[in-house]
């Protein structure tokens, strides 16, 4: 029998998992390594309950702590199903095309900026600033957009 891991030890171990790759297939492979059993359906139910494929959210869920997705649902006043649908729409509209670690090395083309402006103009009415206040088009910054 494997020795029980603390939440911090499990977090350190799971940081080796590439970002966003903690899915049902991974959990199904992980369970036997920890002397456990988990069917594909059970693993999928866990990922759905977490609302995320982030390793920190898995550890939070496992140790009955609030996941980042649950916190976001509270802040946005939406349920997990609505959050998943919203995330799916965002992923479709804004697929990740790479990541540049240092902010000062990131750039943006005029076409990309125009696409952002069009998206902001179409969606700003549903957004809030960091204090939870509704924003007008004139008040939207890239921080609000992000």
């Amino acid at each position: 029998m494997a020795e029980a891991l603390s939440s911090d030890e499990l977090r350190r171990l799971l940081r080796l998992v590439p970002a966003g790759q903690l899915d049902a297939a991974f959990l199904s492979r992980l369970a036997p390594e920890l002397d456990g059993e988990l069917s594909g359906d059970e693993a999928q139910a866990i990922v759905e309950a977490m609302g995320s494929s982030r390793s920190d959210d898995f550890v939070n869920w496992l140790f009955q702590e609030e996941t980042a997705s649950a916190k976001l649902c509270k802040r946005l006043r939406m349920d997990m199903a609505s959050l998943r649908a919203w995330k799916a729409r965002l992923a479709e509209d804004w697929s990740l095309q790479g990541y540049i670690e240092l902010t000062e090395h990131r750039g943006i083309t005029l076409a990309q900026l125009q696409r952002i402006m069009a998206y902001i103009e179409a969606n700003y009415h549903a957004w809030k600033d960091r204090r939870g206040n509704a924003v007008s088009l004139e008040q939207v910054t890239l921080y609000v957009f992000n």
Side-chain angles (χ1 to χ4, degrees), residues 36-133:
E37 295 179 21
L38 197 61
S39 73
D41 288 343
E42 290 169 327
Q44 185 60 42
I46 290 170
V47 171
E48 288 176 13
M50 291 184 324
S52 169
S53 58
R54 295 177 58 241
S55 60
D56 278 344
D57 279 340
F58 173 68
V59 176
N60 289 347
W61 176 85
L62 189 63
F63 287 89
Q64 299 180 345
E65 298 168 4
E66 194 170 43
T67 65
S69 293
K71 290 175 187 174
L72 185 58
C73 281
K74 278 184 184 175
R75 198 172 84 222
L76 297 175
R77 296 185 184 109
M78 63 173 55
D79 59 38
M80 193 63 75
S82 299
L83 179 64
R84 277 192 215 100
W86 178 62
K87 283 180 164 182
R89 283 192 308 275
L90 285 177
E92 192 174 298
D93 289 345
W94 300 95
S95 62
L96 179 64
Q97 298 187 11
Y99 183 76
I100 299 171
E101 188 69 35
L102 300 173
T103 304
E104 61 269 23
H105 292 174
R106 298 177 198 159
I108 188 168
T109 66
L110 179 58
Q112 290 170 326
L113 187 57
Q114 289 169 332
R115 182 171 174 228
I116 289 170
M117 289 305 301
Y119 190 86
I120 289 171
E121 288 171 0
N123 294 284
Y124 78 91
H125 62 278
W127 299 346
K128 299 189 182 315
D129 65 16
R130 291 180 180 203
R131 293 187 178 138
N133 302 315

